[in-house]
Amino acid sequence: MAETKIRISRKVKAPLKRATASPSRQSSRLAAKTKPVPETSQSTRKTASVAVPSAELAKSYMDRLDDISRKLSQLALHSLDDKDTPKRDTLSPRNKKSTDSEDGTLSDDSERTQVGPSYRIIESKEKEMCAALFSPLCNIPKREELSTLLLQKPEIKIPIHHSTYSWLQTYIEDEKLEDMFDIVEKVGNICPKLTPRVETALQVKVSNDVTESMQQCFIDVFLMGIVGTAQEYLEMDTKINRNANELSMTKSKCRPDYLLMLNGQLVFKGEEKKAGDVRNIALELVDKMIPGSVGKDGKLEYLLGYATAGSRVLFECIYGDGKMSECSDILNLERVADRVSLLVIMINVVRVACALYNAKNQ
């Protein structure tokens, strides 16, 4: 028993001895632990290498978007929006029996031809396809023609997967789909970047119950899917930016929410808000502009822009001295048909923007 008591007392006394060490010894130990490490040239070089150029950030964003797009395409995640009206509601009961199931996929008794998930892997034709898709217009369209021209069908059909095409048939007339899209399983995976980007824009979940920054992410799926793809294939210096200074046409300290520049020339811009009247928000497009920055005297004949209020989008044509005219209906991105229209409009916006730039610099 005595030996046991001696062992216990030693165990108890040991920490007490450390705790009661002299204050001078404790402070010296603390100083040694907290002594600053001298900065070396090696650590300085590591800090400097953290800065990433904006071009690399843009490429990283597009790579992440492509990766997400490919996964969505493979999973064929199609969801119906409660606020959208499926086209099949207008069909006769006989036709209803043979249409798609509620999740947008083909039902077992569908009269449409089911195509397997595999498709022909052939050499990419993306470069020549995008060159045709975004080819500049030969002439600048008149302002009064823009509302019709922006909805003009693309020069080439965009390939999408059969599952996506079949899902779109629930909402879009077959004639319009045939003018706009081709099927990957038939033509092959000829646009490995454009296809998943377009499919992501068609399928992305849009919500108004989020912050303004999150809503910008929704519209960016469309803008980067189309304008970002054009940026890779246009034969001119194409830059996309957000909330940035632009001094050639914009008042000091007024920064557009979205800018598209061709060889340093602003050709397209946007203003975005979480909620409100989209027509009132569009007024910022002209309020931020330097008077007389579009029109005659070697300037752009007019400038295209857009405004958003939540999921609603409106395109405008800015001309003269602070004048503006609408060149689209108000689109609601909660509706599948309006998403298709937005994709078509964005393709034609790029073509018109290139024509405006070329005419100014002839």
Side-chain angles (χ1 to χ4, degrees), residues 17-301:
K17 187 177 181 181
R18 286 195 296 269
T20 56
S22 64
S24 60
R25 290 180 65 185
Q26 286 188 0
S27 60
S28 62
R29 289 174 184 173
L30 181 61
K33 289 181 180 179
T34 58
K35 186 177 180 180
V37 179
E39 187 175 352
T40 62
S41 58
Q42 185 177 0
S43 62
T44 306
R45 286 196 297 271
K46 288 185 178 180
T47 304
S49 64
V50 173
V52 181
S54 58
E56 292 185 14
L57 286 174
K59 185 178 183 303
S60 175
Y61 179 90
M62 294 301 293
D63 289 342
R64 290 198 301 272
L65 177 61
D66 288 344
D67 185 52
I68 295 170
S69 301
R70 279 191 295 271
K71 290 178 181 178
L72 281 175
S73 298
Q74 293 167 0
L75 294 173
L77 297 179
H78 309 305
S79 59
L80 302 181
D81 199 301
D82 296 336
K83 297 182 181 180
D84 207 355
T85 305
K87 186 186 69 176
R88 65 168 176 270
D89 287 353
T90 61
L91 299 178
S92 63
R94 182 180 64 83
N95 287 335
K96 279 186 178 181
K97 184 178 179 180
S98 63
T99 52
D100 298 342
S101 58
E102 287 299 321
D103 63 355
T105 59
L106 288 176
S107 60
D108 293 335
D109 57 352
S110 173
E111 294 178 357
R112 300 183 189 133
T113 303
Q114 293 217 36
V115 180
S118 60
Y119 48 82
R120 293 181 294 127
I121 305 296
I122 63 175
E123 186 179 353
S124 171
K125 298 181 180 178
E126 195 141 38
K127 185 175 182 179
E128 49 266 45
M129 294 276 283
C130 289
L133 188 66
F134 301 116
S135 59
L137 298 176
C138 297
N139 300 306
I140 298 176
K142 297 178 180 179
R143 294 194 308 272
E144 53 271 21
E145 299 173 348
L146 284 172
S147 58
T148 301
L149 184 139
L150 290 182
L151 288 173
Q152 182 177 297
K153 68 179 183 179
E155 292 293 309
I156 58 106
K157 294 182 180 182
I158 299 173
I160 59 175
H161 289 87
H162 182 269
S163 58
T164 304
Y165 192 96
S166 178
W167 170 69
L168 288 173
Q169 285 179 305
T170 310
Y171 301 96
I172 312 296
E173 296 297 328
D174 287 343
E175 183 179 355
K176 185 174 181 180
L177 285 179
E178 290 171 4
D179 288 340
M180 178 80 178
F181 300 109
D182 221 331
I183 298 177
V184 169
E185 287 80 356
K186 292 182 179 179
V187 300
N189 191 28
I190 55 179
C191 290
K193 291 183 179 180
L194 180 63
T195 293
R197 291 173 185 176
V198 167
E199 289 183 331
T200 301
L202 292 171
Q203 301 169 45
V204 66
K205 180 65 176 177
V206 177
S207 174
N208 286 315
D209 189 24
V210 292
T211 63
E212 184 174 307
S213 296
M214 192 64 207
Q215 285 179 336
Q216 287 179 336
C217 293
F218 298 145
I219 192 68
D220 265 340
V221 174
F222 292 86
L223 295 171
M224 295 303 293
I226 299 301
V227 184
T229 302
Q231 182 183 27
E232 298 176 18
Y233 296 102
L234 288 177
E235 295 181 354
M236 57 181 74
D237 182 23
T238 308
K239 291 185 179 179
I240 301 168
N241 214 338
R242 276 197 167 279
N243 197 30
N245 289 319
E246 195 288 314
L247 303 178
S248 65
M249 303 174 71
T250 310
K251 295 177 181 177
S252 177
K253 299 181 180 180
C254 293
R255 297 178 294 185
D257 291 330
Y258 179 88
L259 306 92
L260 170 62
M261 315 279 289
L262 297 179
N263 290 340
Q265 171 67 58
L266 179 66
V267 292
F268 179 61
K269 67 174 186 171
E271 294 295 336
E272 301 166 350
K273 294 290 183 290
K274 179 180 178 181
D277 187 332
V278 69
R279 288 191 169 95
N280 289 337
I281 295 170
L283 294 176
E284 289 191 28
L285 292 169
V286 292
D287 290 344
K288 292 183 178 182
M289 290 192 67
I290 298 173
S293 55
V294 293
K296 300 178 180 179
D297 303 326
K299 302 181 178 68
L300 291 181
E301 187 168 326

Side-chain angles (χ1 to χ4, degrees), residues 311-331:
S311 61
R312 299 183 181 276
V313 186
L314 176 65
F315 286 83
E316 298 275 3
C317 172
I318 306 161
Y319 64 98
D321 193 5
K323 298 178 182 178
M324 189 167 60
S325 61
E326 295 179 7
C327 49
S328 79
D329 295 330
I330 296 177
L331 305 176

